[in-house]
Amino acid sequence: MAVTFRMNNNKHGVLARLKTLVNSQNFHSADPKLAKQPKQDSPSPKGDLDYSICRDRIGISEGKTLDAKEFGVTSSMISHSSMFVLKLLRSKGFESYLVGGCVRDLILNRTPKDFDVITTAKLMEVRKQLRRSAHAEVVGRRFPICLVHIKGSVVEVTSFETVAQTSNGKEQFLYSLLPKCSNKKDLFRCKNSLRRDFTINSLFYDPFANKIYDYTNGMADLKTLKLETVIPAQLSFKEDPGRILRGFRITARLGLSISREIEAAIWTYSSLVKTLDKSRIMIELKYMLSYGAAEPSLRLLWKFKLLEFLLPVHAAYLDEQAIEEDAQASNMLLKLFFHLDKLVACDRPCDCTLWIGLLAFHLALVNNPQDAIVVWAFASVLYHGEWKEGVKFAKEQARMSVNFVPEIRKSNLYKSDEEIAIAVTKLASLVIHSISPLVEKNSLRQFLSISRYPSFPQSGMVFVSRKAGNLAHAIFKKLASDGKFYKSGRRTDLKINYDMLGKGQLSETGFVLGKIVLETMSSGIVGDGKDPEAGQCHLKTKGTEEIGPSQHPDLVNHQVASMDGEGQLLSIPNSACGQEKNKKRKLVENRCVARKKMGSGNHELSEKFKCKENKKEQQKLVKINQKVDQSMKKDSAKRKIDHRKQLINDKKKITSANTSSLDQAMLMKTEHSTCTASQSAVSENHRVIAYNLDMDAKTTNNNLDVDAKTPNESDMKKKKMRVSLVELFK
């Protein structure tokens, strides 16, 4: 019994030793049949990586130590919390540096997204040293880091030793590349730089010595704005497919050029991105879309076919837009994210709920096109925070047509407020319904089957968490219940609160989302320019630039901004071809809009054109009357006196006659009249004149001077002559 107990007690130890022995035999076996071969269909094939090809690719002996002052980098540019961690670790005898993208951004005089600290201390030691002054926690399994929370900010701390433990596969090869004459500090920095993704992210900065350490020629690539991997791109992307997404993000934000080697590797290994964990994809997408480089990031994802499984409907939409001749001019998706990039940046990012809401909003419009006035009202109510002011602003903006196909239909300006409220409420419900395909696989499949692009390949990939989807849902919940009674809370001003926006506060996110949609709609306005104020969306937001008419030219010019002010963006293929042809065609279309609408039986527009014709006739009549006035002013005084004498004689004849002979007197007046109007008009006018003269005779003397002072007589005569001349011109 005792023996049995000891055998059972040592059972796990024996099995462990046998397993180790077998593995060691397989590893050192010369017979390939005995060694375990890696599967060819492995989603992350790291077992077959041949690091020996890196030997000629990397020159560690060319490591450089540079003076940071020459590049304008000083310790004062580092955040207070990061500097606190660096000083604390140095005071405890550990080496500590800034590393990665923050060093790159400091050299480029940009605001870093965050500051990453690397130290010779172990992570548990870091936690121990910081526990009295800050809250520190170690997270992550494969790549553990220590998150240090200080006064609302988070500093990521990694360890040289931890990184070495996570890279056992190429540890021996890295040692073979290290220079023999290096000291211990150079040894740590060299090894760590070889584990970095891109050369421009492998720089170290020592704020105490104010030195920059470059071991992979990163400064040269940064100077030429070129993206290069530290090790060959194929090995780098095989080792970590997430580097493909990170490369897109860096390229989009800095406007870098991608080397041919990286492009070829992306096309070869982009399918490995599908094997990444959903949370990892969400983190990379958040960095892409929340920090001011959303539009160029989407362009890159679409160009390299990665958008097809990340956002399949949006990818199909961009494919459709690329076929159209007016692709860039009417691409509402890219314009939405262009205006998002104008408002956010690395030092003022947004929460992911904002761009999730924009993606769902665009999905709703693609599958359910809306009248322009409905979209104006939807965005305006979110922006103004209440219905009454929002719908008033929307009606003012909806006077001119907006060209976004297929999202926007023509405006129906004659919709009542009640009809607009019902349509806005329905649109909000559609947006909420469009959030589900971003969160659930089953909803995505159902949505694709009934979408505008049912034949587009279905990947079944969703990366948005359910929590983030619920928060985006809450933005539109009030508007979907009853748009006419929508209120998001009283705003004291139109200043964006970036602290609340970064935390995903609902009213602030809805306000910014409404602003983005309004600016996008304004950028799509086209027209003949007869009403320059109509359709201009003047949204003043304190803390950002004042935005009047869209900075995008309209369709007549056929130009769309292709850079975000910071770097190059990729344009949609075939969208720039035939611009002159598009200009001519668009001008012809604009001129024929009225004819097409009249031919389609649009009664309301026909009434408008009739009113315009009536206005033109009235203008002609006014010109004729002006000519008559000028001609009467040019009459000589003698002719006026003769005319007045004639009128007096007529008055005497009319007053002396009895009532029964009134018609005869008027006929006599017609024979001596100088007017050439028709007999019916003359007879009627003389009745009026006779009546006026008879009334004047009872109160005044019958002399010429008194008659010349009576305004009724001359005014009526002038009026009669105008009527006569009008009849002649008809």
Side-chain angles (χ1 to χ4, degrees), residues 36-62:
K36 186 178 180 180
Q37 301 296 326
K39 295 181 179 180
Q40 298 297 326
D41 297 331
S42 177
S44 183
K46 298 180 182 179
D48 58 347
L49 297 182
D50 183 11
Y51 290 100
S52 62
I53 64 175
C54 302
R55 192 174 302 278
D56 298 331
R57 173 74 160 70
I58 304 171
I60 294 298
S61 59
E62 299 178 0

Side-chain angles (χ1 to χ4, degrees), residues 616-626 726 730:
K616 290 180 180 180
E617 292 181 359
Q618 292 177 2
Q619 291 175 357
K620 289 181 179 180
L621 293 178
V622 170
K623 290 180 180 180
I624 293 171
N625 291 336
Q626 290 176 352
V726 168
K730 285 184 179 180

Side-chain angles (χ1 to χ4, degrees), residues 2-155:
V3 175
T4 305
F5 176 77
R6 285 195 296 270
M7 290 179 63
N8 292 337
N9 195 31
N10 295 330
K11 181 178 180 181
H12 294 291
V14 172
L15 290 176
R17 286 195 294 273
L18 286 173
K19 184 177 181 181
T20 303
L21 179 62
V22 171
N23 289 339
S24 62
Q25 288 177 349
N26 287 340
F27 181 80
H28 296 288
S29 174
D31 189 355
K33 296 181 180 180
L34 299 177
K36 186 178 180 180
Q37 301 296 326
K39 295 181 179 180
Q40 298 297 326
D41 297 331
S42 177
S44 183
K46 298 180 182 179
D48 58 347
L49 297 182
D50 183 11
Y51 290 100
S52 62
I53 64 175
C54 302
R55 192 174 302 278
D56 298 331
R57 173 74 160 70
I58 304 171
I60 294 298
S61 59
E62 299 178 0
K64 299 177 182 178
T65 301
L66 307 171
D67 186 2
K69 289 184 179 179
E70 295 180 1
F71 304 96
V73 179
T74 61
S75 60
S76 61
M77 303 169 67
I78 305 174
S79 67
H80 173 75
S81 55
S82 301
M83 199 65 194
F84 174 81
V85 174
L86 289 166
K87 288 181 178 179
L88 181 63
L89 292 173
R90 281 292 178 100
S91 67
K92 300 299 181 180
F94 301 105
E95 291 294 319
S96 58
Y97 308 90
L98 289 180
V99 66
C102 60
V103 182
R104 173 201 69 210
D105 290 341
L106 290 175
I107 295 172
L108 293 176
N109 196 26
R110 288 175 171 270
T111 303
K113 177 179 64 66
D114 50 27
F115 291 88
D116 295 331
V117 176
I118 190 167
T119 180
T120 54
K122 296 181 179 180
L123 293 183
M124 295 307 296
E125 185 67 25
V126 173
R127 179 183 176 185
K128 179 181 177 181
Q129 297 297 334
L130 291 169
R131 65 183 178 182
R132 294 183 179 180
S133 54
H135 172 65
E137 57 178 343
V138 179
V139 298
R141 294 182 180 179
R142 186 181 176 192
F143 297 101
I145 60 174
C146 183
L147 299 180
V148 182
H149 301 266
I150 302 177
K151 296 181 179 180
S153 62
V154 180
V155 180

Side-chain angles (χ1 to χ4, degrees), residues 312-313 436-451 453-462:
V313 180
S436 298
L438 302 175
V439 178
E440 299 177 356
K441 291 183 179 180
N442 293 333
S443 298
L444 176 61
R445 295 189 184 97
Q446 294 175 3
F447 190 88
L448 282 169
S449 63
I450 61 173
S451 70
Y453 315 102
S455 60
F456 198 79
Q458 301 182 16
S459 65
M461 163 65 73
V462 292

